[in-house]
Amino acid sequence: MNIPKMKRAWYPLMPSAKLKNKPLARKLLGQPLVLARLGGQAVCFDDCCPHRHVPLSAGKIVSGRLQCGYHGWQFDASGKVCAVPGGMCACEAAAVPAHACREHGGWVWVCLAPDVPFAPPADFDAPPGFETVNAAKQMEGDFIHAIENFLDPTHTPYVHRGLLRGAGRQSMAVSQSHHAHGFSTRYRLGERQNGLINRLFDKGITINDAAFTFPGLARIDYLTPNSHEYRISAFFIPQDKGQIGLSVRVHFPKSRLPLAVKTLLFRPFIECLLVQDAAVIQRQYRHHSRYFASRPYCSTPNDLVIDHLLHLLLENAPEGVDKSGEMVLYGE
Ligand code: FES
Ligand SMILES: [Fe+2]
């Protein structure tokens, strides 16, 4: 992956509500981090005490400071050492490297580069008149292929058989466009999607609009001719080799039905889809990386998103080609 480019992006690492009175460990692009709330402010440091390199995430928060669990050094919100028990040394000049950290949209965002202005992708936020449920997930897999899985419909009659697509023909008119930071693919459905989820929740969806924004935001909008029904998004976090975080958001139009009830109805289906996808992504990653890493992939024009993803996320990959035309999926 193009690590220098990816280090200059912002990532939503955890829901704000999770960051309370304990430091929490996370990884981003292979780098161990500790997140903490100090005096109400979300902060992010290298997860490494400068004294003897113990993880600060194993420490605790004391009076608005992060305290290392080994010899008790304390760090303020800027990462500076502000107390050394015993008072023998003048280590107050020491500090743990701090990273840019912001809260937005109910998430704690981090950027590993010091000088990148905070600019979350517009698609991350709820469309006007919508309300949002957030969930953090974890999976083992290849970063690029996990995003491909989220955006690509061709696996749905097999991996999500019965849930998203049942038996029968499903035709879609595809049109695609890309820009410097992402791409979108619009599917105009010839037939209504026929899985259980659609039988329960689909009020005449005719368009699925799937988009990706660098470095990891994938979202799908579900539209009828007159309305925007749902937006489902996942911000993929490149934690470490083979380890992916998912900051999942489901946006519902505001209605008389309380958000808690919508969540209760919808959540089991989303969880089930995620479990099905996570299983195949893990199997793919382990098999590829252990036995077939040197063998190239074989793609067809039906693989709509992979070349765009490679261009955006790898160094020196050629620009993706926008596709358009008729795609037909057959459920067995
Ligand atoms: S290792 Fe952290 S205070 Fe000593
Ligand atoms: Fe899927």
Side-chain angles (χ1 to χ4, degrees), residues 149 155 160 277:
N149 165 276
H155 73 282
H160 308 302
D277 280 331

mmCIF file of all heavy atoms in Angstrom, residues 149 155 160 277, ligand 2:
data_model
loop_
_atom_site.group_PDB
_atom_site.id
_atom_site.type_symbol
_atom_site.label_atom_id
_atom_site.label_comp_id
_atom_site.label_asym_id
_atom_site.label_seq_id
_atom_site.Cartn_x
_atom_site.Cartn_y
_atom_site.Cartn_z
ATOM 1 N N ASN A 149 -14.982 -6.137 -1.302
ATOM 2 C CA ASN A 149 -16.130 -6.961 -0.906
ATOM 3 C C ASN A 149 -17.348 -6.101 -0.573
ATOM 4 O O ASN A 149 -18.471 -6.384 -0.979
ATOM 5 C CB ASN A 149 -15.727 -7.818 0.302
ATOM 6 C CG ASN A 149 -16.920 -8.426 0.998
ATOM 7 O OD1 ASN A 149 -17.552 -7.793 1.831
ATOM 8 N ND2 ASN A 149 -17.251 -9.650 0.634
ATOM 9 N N HIS A 155 -20.772 -10.990 -5.250
ATOM 10 C CA HIS A 155 -20.719 -12.088 -4.277
ATOM 11 C C HIS A 155 -22.058 -12.289 -3.555
ATOM 12 O O HIS A 155 -22.244 -13.288 -2.876
ATOM 13 C CB HIS A 155 -19.615 -11.832 -3.240
ATOM 14 C CG HIS A 155 -19.940 -10.760 -2.238
ATOM 15 N ND1 HIS A 155 -19.851 -9.413 -2.526
ATOM 16 C CD2 HIS A 155 -20.384 -10.823 -0.965
ATOM 17 C CE1 HIS A 155 -20.198 -8.708 -1.463
ATOM 18 N NE2 HIS A 155 -20.536 -9.533 -0.498
ATOM 19 N N HIS A 160 -24.332 -14.116 0.612
ATOM 20 C CA HIS A 160 -25.531 -13.650 1.343
ATOM 21 C C HIS A 160 -26.797 -14.260 0.736
ATOM 22 O O HIS A 160 -27.829 -13.605 0.640
ATOM 23 C CB HIS A 160 -25.613 -12.126 1.293
ATOM 24 C CG HIS A 160 -24.365 -11.439 1.717
ATOM 25 N ND1 HIS A 160 -23.798 -11.622 2.958
ATOM 26 C CD2 HIS A 160 -23.543 -10.576 1.058
ATOM 27 C CE1 HIS A 160 -22.688 -10.898 3.039
ATOM 28 N NE2 HIS A 160 -22.515 -10.260 1.903
ATOM 29 N N ASP A 277 -19.489 -11.852 5.498
ATOM 30 C CA ASP A 277 -18.390 -11.245 4.748
ATOM 31 C C ASP A 277 -17.053 -11.460 5.452
ATOM 32 O O ASP A 277 -16.055 -11.777 4.814
ATOM 33 C CB ASP A 277 -18.645 -9.739 4.554
ATOM 34 C CG ASP A 277 -19.613 -9.466 3.415
ATOM 35 O OD1 ASP A 277 -19.660 -10.267 2.470
ATOM 36 O OD2 ASP A 277 -20.337 -8.454 3.483
HETATM 37 FE FE FE B 2 -21.117 -8.795 1.409
#
